[in-house]
Amino acid sequence: GAVVSQHPSWVICKSGTSVKIECRSLDFQATTMFWYRQFPKQSLMLMATSNEGSKATYEQGVEKDKFLINHASLTLSTLTVTSAHPEDSSFYICSAGGGQGSQPQHFGDGTRLSIL
Amino acid sequence: GQNIDQPTEMTATEGAIVQINCTYQTSGFNGLFWYQQHAGEAPTFLSYNVLDGLEEKGRFSSFLSRSKGYSYLLLKELQMKDSASYLCAPSDSNYQLIWGAGTKLIIKP
């Protein structure tokens, strides 16, 4: 099946640090990737849709300047959490694939971000 | 609005069968996905239904009734490793998946 690689798996850093998370589709080209955030025992929350070669589409309430998304190639999207604060601590997951029809979204393993 | 309704938690016995129900309301409909999510991990794809009826995949089957806005996931011969959350995710008119909180399934020996 399709493989999506997400790195790093864990990040622990001080408040005010910027953190970059990478999402790669390893065996297929992904014009669209998705970034989610999930708090404990809550549902996946779509943050933004990353589009190759163009600007990301952010969901309502998600700060564009806080969560920078770059989708520079058909296999790589990055999410940068700028000037992270403790309230940004969460589980961030990317996915690729999906779109029209029966193709499912395939998820990376997620990144657990802890801001001290 | 768009919403998903699944039981919050279910308990079943190893070796038994369990059915997880899902009702949904979406703006348009382009199929429904089921995902499994173990605690602390990302979701993994289980099944997809776009037409009414049953899709069988090994120990897992998924059913869809579009007119009723209803789906279920049937798990047979339950194993301890099946303890996880199960997410019902319909696809709306923009092919965007709608996510609920899922059903936490606890398997007991």
Side-chain angles (χ1 to χ4, degrees):
Chain A
V3 178
V4 176
S5 172
Q6 186 172 343
H7 176 81
S9 301
W10 287 83
V11 180
I12 301 174
C13 57
K14 294 180 179 179
S15 185
T17 305
S18 291
V19 177
K20 180 186 278 190
I21 303 170
E22 292 187 350
C23 181
R24 295 180 184 273
S25 57
L26 298 184
D27 56 356
F28 66 102
Q29 294 182 329
T31 54
T32 302
M33 291 184 177
F34 303 91
W35 287 97
Y36 294 87
R37 183 165 59 178
Q38 187 175 36
F39 292 106
K41 298 184 179 181
Q42 294 189 20
S43 62
L44 288 169
M45 187 195 82
L46 180 65
M47 300 175 66
T49 301
S50 172
N51 305 298
E52 188 269 335
S54 64
K55 291 182 180 180
T57 304
Y58 289 82
E59 295 300 303
Q60 191 172 8
V62 178
E63 300 175 57
K64 300 178 183 181
D65 296 332
K66 174 77 172 176
F67 299 99
L68 300 179
I69 291 172
N70 183 280
H71 195 153
S73 77
L74 287 170
T75 58
L76 174 64
S77 175
T78 61
L79 168 69
T80 302
V81 184
T82 61
S83 187
H85 289 94
E87 58 266 29
D88 298 321
S89 298
S90 187
F91 189 44
Y92 292 85
I93 318 173
C94 72
S95 71
Q100 297 191 15
S102 63
Q103 295 303 310
Q105 290 183 27
H106 294 280
F107 288 84
D109 288 338
T111 297
R112 194 159 301 282
L113 177 62
S114 295
I115 308 299
L116 305 176
Chain B
Q2 307 197 103
N3 75 288
I4 312 277
D5 191 22
Q6 293 180 243
T8 303
E9 189 173 297
M10 298 181 70
T11 302
T13 305
E14 189 177 16
I17 299 173
V18 71
Q19 177 174 312
I20 301 174
N21 296 322
C22 169
T23 57
Y24 61 89
Q25 288 181 307
T26 57
S27 301
F29 181 76
N30 282 299
L32 185 144
F33 295 84
W34 281 94
Y35 282 83
Q36 179 190 61
Q37 186 177 23
H38 284 100
E41 298 181 10
T44 55
F45 168 70
L46 289 178
S47 69
Y48 172 74
N49 295 69
V50 67
L51 299 177
D52 290 352
L54 189 67
E55 293 282 342
E56 296 187 75
K57 223 183 207 184
R59 293 190 298 117
F60 294 0
S61 302
S62 55
F63 172 84
L64 176 68
S65 169
R66 288 171 296 172
S67 62
K68 294 182 179 178
Y70 168 70
S71 175
Y72 69 72
L73 181 70
L74 189 72
L75 292 77
K76 302 176 185 176
E77 301 170 17
L78 287 170
Q79 302 175 9
M80 298 303 293
K81 67 178 182 179
D82 297 331
S83 292
S85 289
Y86 291 86
L87 313 177
C88 160
S91 176
D92 70 9
S93 57
N94 295 318
Y95 296 94
Q96 182 162 311
L97 296 188
I98 310 303
W99 299 92
T103 298
K104 181 179 180 181
L105 177 63
I106 300 169
I107 309 298
K108 294 186 175 179

